[in-house]
Amino acid sequence: MLKISKDHYVPQFYLDAFAIEGSENENPHVYQYMKAGIVAARIKDAASEKHFYTFRDKKTGENSRAIDDFFTQSEKAAAEPLKKIIKREEIDLSDRERENLAIFFALLAVRTPSFIKSLQSFEGEATKEFMALQAMDLNRFRRNMKKVDSSLDENTITELHQTILEKKYSVSFNNRAYFIANGIEISSDLAKYYYEKKYWHLLISESDRVFIVSDNPISTYRPKWVPPALNAGYKNGTLLVPLSPK
């Protein structure tokens, strides 16, 4: 097994801007809102899971860190533009810096457990819908079930048929790499849209109320102009990306 302790789905350099002055056990830390209350967490432990981006290469059979390497490259390209905005308190970026940040924000949206779970949920519901459509023809369903298991009796087939039609079952997946790869593919379209179409604004808090960050950093809001039938998520929605408490 690769000696990687934890993978951060919210990058450490990004969390550094939210670090609390002082230290928790002499380490930079942030405060986390938990069910038990507010707790201090070291940045190197926050928003991370062990081997979250480690996958087995189908060709070599060995563990691969290619996805994490890909994310790391985007983080390196975005680090300086982000620091520049925070320090100057204005969005004064070159085209390349803006492009690098657009890529970083797009990847930040799709690399989290929350987004991956949303893709799995969507895929699960689509699978159930497809299965229900296939089960509309009872005779064909009966033939297919017999092909799967010729020992199935009529009562069992009828129960399965009803369960599938009513979608009273769950679908789970054990292939996180597929959904992360799917998210990366989605991010390519998002980054292009953020760079070419989105208007960027910088909001600065001038009071003691501060911006906070979560393990799903990018928030979306539905603009008034978006029709109800149109998805107003990470592409058409208004995005809020906290850069620092201020």
Side-chain angles (χ1 to χ4, degrees):
M1 179 65 76
L2 294 177
K3 294 182 179 180
I4 303 294
S5 57
K6 292 183 179 180
D7 285 329
H8 288 261
Y9 41 86
V10 180
Q12 293 186 73
F13 90 89
Y14 175 78
L15 292 175
D16 283 340
F18 298 87
I20 305 301
E21 292 184 7
S23 63
E24 175 70 12
N25 298 326
E26 298 187 356
N27 286 289
H29 69 286
V30 292
Y31 287 128
Q32 287 185 309
Y33 289 87
M34 311 291 285
K35 290 182 178 180
I38 301 175
V39 299
R42 295 178 301 178
I43 286 179
K44 68 177 183 178
D45 295 328
S48 66
E49 288 188 23
K50 289 184 178 180
H51 297 285
F52 193 68
Y53 299 127
T54 300
F55 301 101
R56 191 170 299 279
D57 190 300
K58 289 184 178 180
K59 293 182 179 179
T60 65
E62 298 180 354
N63 286 329
S64 171
R65 297 288 296 169
I67 291 178
D68 184 70
D69 292 341
F70 176 74
F71 288 146
T72 299
Q73 291 303 312
S74 78
E75 293 168 18
K76 289 180 178 179
E80 287 306 315
L82 273 180
K83 291 178 182 177
K84 183 178 177 180
I85 293 175
I86 294 171
K87 182 178 180 180
R88 297 184 181 182
E89 296 188 349
E90 62 177 350
I91 302 176
D92 182 19
L93 304 173
S94 67
D95 287 344
R96 175 53 62 86
E97 289 173 329
R98 187 183 178 93
E99 181 182 23
N100 287 338
L101 274 185
I103 294 171
F104 174 74
F105 290 148
L107 289 173
L108 192 60
V110 305
R111 63 187 284 183
T112 66
S114 175
F115 185 84
I116 294 167
K117 287 178 181 177
S118 72
L119 289 182
Q120 291 175 329
S121 176
F122 178 83
E123 188 86 3
E125 291 304 312
T127 299
K128 290 164 70 173
E129 190 66 33
F130 175 78
M131 292 293 292
L133 289 173
Q134 292 296 307
M136 293 294 289
D137 186 329
L138 178 57
N139 291 327
R140 184 172 66 176
F141 179 82
R142 185 182 291 110
R143 291 194 300 269
N144 289 337
M145 288 297 97
K146 285 292 186 178
K147 289 178 182 178
V148 173
D149 186 349
S150 60
S151 66
L152 290 175
D153 58 44
E154 189 63 28
N155 287 336
T156 300
I157 292 176
T158 300
E159 290 176 2
L160 286 172
H161 181 252
Q162 194 65 27
T163 297
I164 290 174
L165 284 180
E166 296 177 357
K167 307 185 186 75
K168 292 183 177 180
Y169 62 98
S170 61
V171 179
S172 60
F173 301 93
N174 190 30
N175 53 344
R176 190 170 69 250
Y178 165 79
F179 291 100
I180 291 178
N182 194 3
I184 291 174
E185 185 176 349
I186 292 171
S187 75
S188 178
D189 180 52
L190 292 179
K192 188 174 187 295
Y193 198 82
Y194 295 168
Y195 177 71
E196 296 180 352
K197 304 292 185 181
K198 288 288 188 184
Y199 292 99
W200 295 29
H201 306 276
L202 184 63
L203 305 180
I204 299 175
S205 174
E206 296 182 345
S207 71
D208 58 355
R209 303 186 69 176
V210 298
F211 295 105
I212 61 173
V213 69
S214 74
D215 55 4
N216 195 38
I218 298 183
S219 303
T220 62
Y221 290 86
R222 175 180 289 275
K224 293 181 179 179
W225 61 266
V226 176
L230 184 64
N231 183 4
Y234 288 115
K235 185 172 183 178
N236 297 310
T238 296
L239 309 183
L240 290 181
V241 187
L243 304 183
S244 76
K246 187 177 180 180

